[in-house]
Amino acid sequence: MARRISARSHGDPRHADTRAKVVKDDYRPSRDEILRYIAENPDRSGKREIAKAFALRGGDRVWLKEMLRDLQDEGLLTKERKRLSRAGAVPHVAVLDIFGRDDDGVLLANPSEYTGAGSPPVIAIRISRSASGPVPGIGDRVLAKTFPTDDPSGPAYTGRVMKIFEKRSDAVLGVFRALKDGTFRIEPVERRQPELIVDKEFQNGARNGDLVEVEPARASRYGLPRAKVLVVLGSLSSEKAVSMIAIHAHDIPHIFPADVIAEAEAVKPATLDHREDWRDLPLVTIDPADAKDHDDAVFATPDTDEKNPGGVVITVAIADVAAYVRYGTPLDREALRRGNSVYFPDRVVPMLPERISNDLCSLREGEDRPAIAVRMTFSSEGRKLKHSFHRVMMKSAAKLAYPQAQAAIDGVPDDKTRPILNGVLKPLWDAYAVLKRGRDSRQPLELDLPERKILLKPDGTVDRVIVPERLDAHKLIEEFMIQANVAAAETLEGKKEPLVYRIHDAPSLAKQESLREFLQTLSLSLARGAQMRPSQFNGILEQVRGADNEALVNEVVLRSQSQAEYSPKNIGHFGLNLRRYAHFTSPIRRYADLIVHRGLIAALGLGPGGLTQQEADRLEEVAALISATERRAMAAERDTVDRLIAAYLAERVNDTFDARISGVTKAGLFVQLPQYGADGFIPVSTLGGDYYIYDETARSLYGERTGKGYQLADRVEVRLVEVAPMAGAMRFEMLTDPKPLPGSKRSFHKAKGRARASQSRVGPRGRRR
């Protein structure tokens, strides 16, 4: 018997290549054939799909598994989301930057994010003659589908443009400074930007302290480059000035277009049409004390079913944003463009206008509000037995803050919590105890990384930085929301309704091996295996709990993890240890949740506002966009915190601080001030009169002569020597002497030899030897 296979059919028998060949039953593909198939079939490159494409069965599948593992160990393949790809390969859907044209005028691009070795691959941009709308050009950033080519002399990929991102000009952000000698300068907000000179005729109305966009002129041979002011964005003397820098630096949309505001203002409140009346159910909201919108409410009660002793019934109601934001409207297009709300210490840039987010969709106490609710039944062990979704009209019985609800449970109720303590709050905590049993059994990843919160003065400057206490009230809401998200994903998957999953891949093999080598330096072991589990990491964390290196190990384990993102293809959520997971509980501030709401409405026939076929066809593109806007928001929030803390500490130059090493590189050490959560840098050239060698495995810099040095998470004393507030940059001087690093002399010399083989040696003045 013979079998027909195709290495160019993308795994789909409907598109079989005419060049398919007939092979014998004992046929096994060569390494090159496997690699070629994976390169040409990026959407069907899982182990099962490869076996199916080459018609491998039984023992041949075991052989394939070993072959794929060998190819990964050799660095020829990488594994992401249970799919294999050539090392350094470009994702099938990627964000590209167009940088030029070839001799034939074809646009050429590079991936905007590339982590492979060597130079990023070149992608030739294909433009359909029948395409309508804007045509991409040099300097544009686009979202594109990519396809590998067979031409070794040309670009490695071709790309088909799906979306053109808004153009960014060559404008530079900076602070306009009027100097005493009558000249004008631009103080850059980016760390690597030089200062610029502005001639008076190009001042464009800017005044001292204004945040401005400027266009740099061509640099002259002598002196600082010149620039002209394009637009004045606002004064840095006003409140919210620091977050304004991040908003403009990261191109975050923050002003709603007129048609969006008009649509939001014209919206009429939802009615009982297509809804169940749940207004008598005492759902309550539990949020931060300063929350302005409330998109989730909760209720719990013991299960009265005799077959489920000790079980509970939990209800989670989520604001019905889909009732007001319909696909394709100006409101919807703007929400997708923003992707999510962005939270700064001094302001929020919302995904939706206040008329929607803070009014019609906010589950205000005592007011009728539309919601989509899920009612879930759990056994006494915390295992979910069933759930159902409902489109309802609800009325919140109470608006509570986390500390307020916790205080009531701890025996200190106030006038609001006392009347609902026995009927509402205690059943919620009893239900949480049940869910906690299920969580403990599931064993999600348990990293101990405290979060800091910046408290501001009325003028927008830093008052103090605190670490809020982690209460059971926080954990209760978190676990209720996780279970609601799981129920949403299960329902949509069961109904075969398209959705956007929240996915989190297991650490890559390379990161696993790097972590394993690091743990060996601490006499800790991490078992090898293709199927890693969060419990294996938890076991490591438990071994170091309370030890001097606890913070170090937590930090390194965190850095070994993949980044969570959105995708219409499910690979599960590694960190939460869940097979299927989708964001459902925050549609006011995340577009992903709005998609899930629309999917539930369509799948369950809950009335108007469901997912359309046109929207379903775009989910791959939408998932890539909202993953990008999430990363953009995180970067902007981090930059704002850095600038606020740098400005706060600008008057404390030459002061000493307790710090922790938060990063180790060839160039030096990053240190974090635990009291403030801010980072600064110590150049390796300032560390002393030894040659410091970078040991990547041990996350350390050690002296070539003494073997002493500094390691990630070490607690040290530092002196602040320089601050650039607008850039959020701080430079420190190390005051703590280097220490003997963990391990014997043998391990020191082994690390020294390894570093010599793979790393550069850096001297006290930063010169390479």
Side-chain angles (χ1 to χ4, degrees), residues 87-336:
V90 176
H92 187 46
V93 176
V95 178
L96 310 177
D97 291 322
I98 299 175
F99 65 85
R101 295 181 185 271
D102 64 12
D103 294 339
D104 297 321
V106 176
L107 291 170
L108 302 176
N110 291 137
S112 61
E113 296 181 4
Y114 180 69
T115 57
S119 301
V122 175
I123 298 103
I125 300 297
R126 299 187 312 195
I127 300 175
S128 173
R129 293 183 180 179
S130 60
S132 59
V135 176
I138 296 174
D140 279 345
R141 174 166 286 187
V142 300
L143 185 72
K145 285 189 175 181
T146 65
F147 307 90
T149 67
D150 293 326
D151 182 6
S153 62
Y157 295 83
T158 61
R160 188 173 71 240
V161 174
M162 303 164 65
K163 179 182 178 64
I164 303 175
F165 293 102
E166 288 190 8
K167 281 181 177 284
R168 283 204 62 177
S169 68
D170 292 331
V172 169
L173 276 180
V175 181
F176 188 86
R177 299 296 188 195
L179 305 184
K180 293 180 180 180
D181 61 3
T183 61
F184 305 108
R185 295 280 182 90
I186 300 299
E187 179 185 345
V189 300
E190 294 296 333
R191 302 183 186 192
R192 297 181 180 178
Q193 262 176 20
E195 278 195 339
L196 301 167
I197 296 175
V198 176
D199 294 324
K200 189 171 184 179
E201 60 268 29
F202 297 123
Q203 183 179 347
N204 199 16
R207 291 184 289 188
N208 189 47
D210 282 347
L211 178 66
V212 295
E213 273 189 350
V214 300
E215 181 181 40
R218 183 173 297 176
S220 61
R221 183 174 299 180
Y222 306 104
L224 294 174
R226 282 176 152 70
K228 64 178 180 180
V229 176
L230 297 177
V231 62
V232 177
L233 301 172
S235 173
L236 286 184
S237 62
S238 64
E239 296 180 31
K240 304 180 180 178
V242 176
S243 59
M244 184 168 61
I245 295 175
I247 287 168
H248 287 279
H250 291 275
D251 279 343
I252 294 174
H254 66 292
I255 298 175
F256 287 104
D259 59 344
V260 174
I261 296 296
E263 183 185 350
E265 293 299 326
V267 168
K268 298 287 193 280
T271 67
L272 271 170
D273 290 347
H274 306 285
R275 299 182 187 281
E276 301 173 40
D277 191 346
W278 282 22
R279 288 176 290 183
D280 291 335
L281 188 69
L283 290 150
V284 296
T285 62
I286 307 177
D287 291 294
D290 56 356
K292 293 182 179 179
D293 57 64
H294 310 276
D295 51 11
D296 58 82
V298 294
F299 178 73
T301 185
D303 189 5
T304 57
D305 188 345
E306 294 179 355
K307 297 179 181 179
N308 187 28
V312 294
V313 178
I314 293 173
T315 300
V316 175
I318 306 297
D320 187 358
V321 177
Y324 301 112
V325 183
R326 301 295 174 84
Y327 174 71
T329 63
L331 260 175
D332 177 65
R333 290 195 299 270
E334 182 66 14
L336 176 57

Side-chain angles (χ1 to χ4, degrees), residues 17 136 141 158 165 177 276 377 380 384 394-395 415 429 451 524 539 576 613 635 720 759:
D17 195 307
R141 174 166 286 187
T158 61
F165 293 102
R177 299 296 188 195
E276 301 173 40
T377 302
S380 59
K384 182 160 65 67
M394 60 159 285
K395 183 185 292 184
D415 291 343
W429 259 256
E451 295 186 9
L524 298 170
L576 293 174
Q613 186 59 50
L720 180 61
Q759 304 292 345

Side-chain angles (χ1 to χ4, degrees), residues 312-388:
V312 294
V313 178
I314 293 173
T315 300
V316 175
I318 306 297
D320 187 358
V321 177
Y324 301 112
V325 183
R326 301 295 174 84
Y327 174 71
T329 63
L331 260 175
D332 177 65
R333 290 195 299 270
E334 182 66 14
L336 176 57
R337 188 166 78 101
R338 295 176 177 228
N340 44 258
S341 298
V342 187
Y343 292 84
F344 298 108
D346 57 352
R347 74 164 87 187
V348 176
V349 179
M351 185 180 79
L352 297 166
E354 286 192 12
R355 165 72 170 154
I356 303 294
S357 61
N358 290 2
D359 183 4
L360 295 177
C361 284
S362 185
L363 306 182
R364 293 179 175 177
E365 178 179 312
E367 298 186 22
D368 292 358
R369 287 292 182 268
I372 295 181
V374 56
R375 182 167 278 162
M376 302 171 286
T377 302
F378 293 86
S379 71
S380 59
E381 293 82 24
R383 182 170 57 89
K384 182 160 65 67
L385 303 178
K386 61 182 179 179
H387 69 264
S388 59

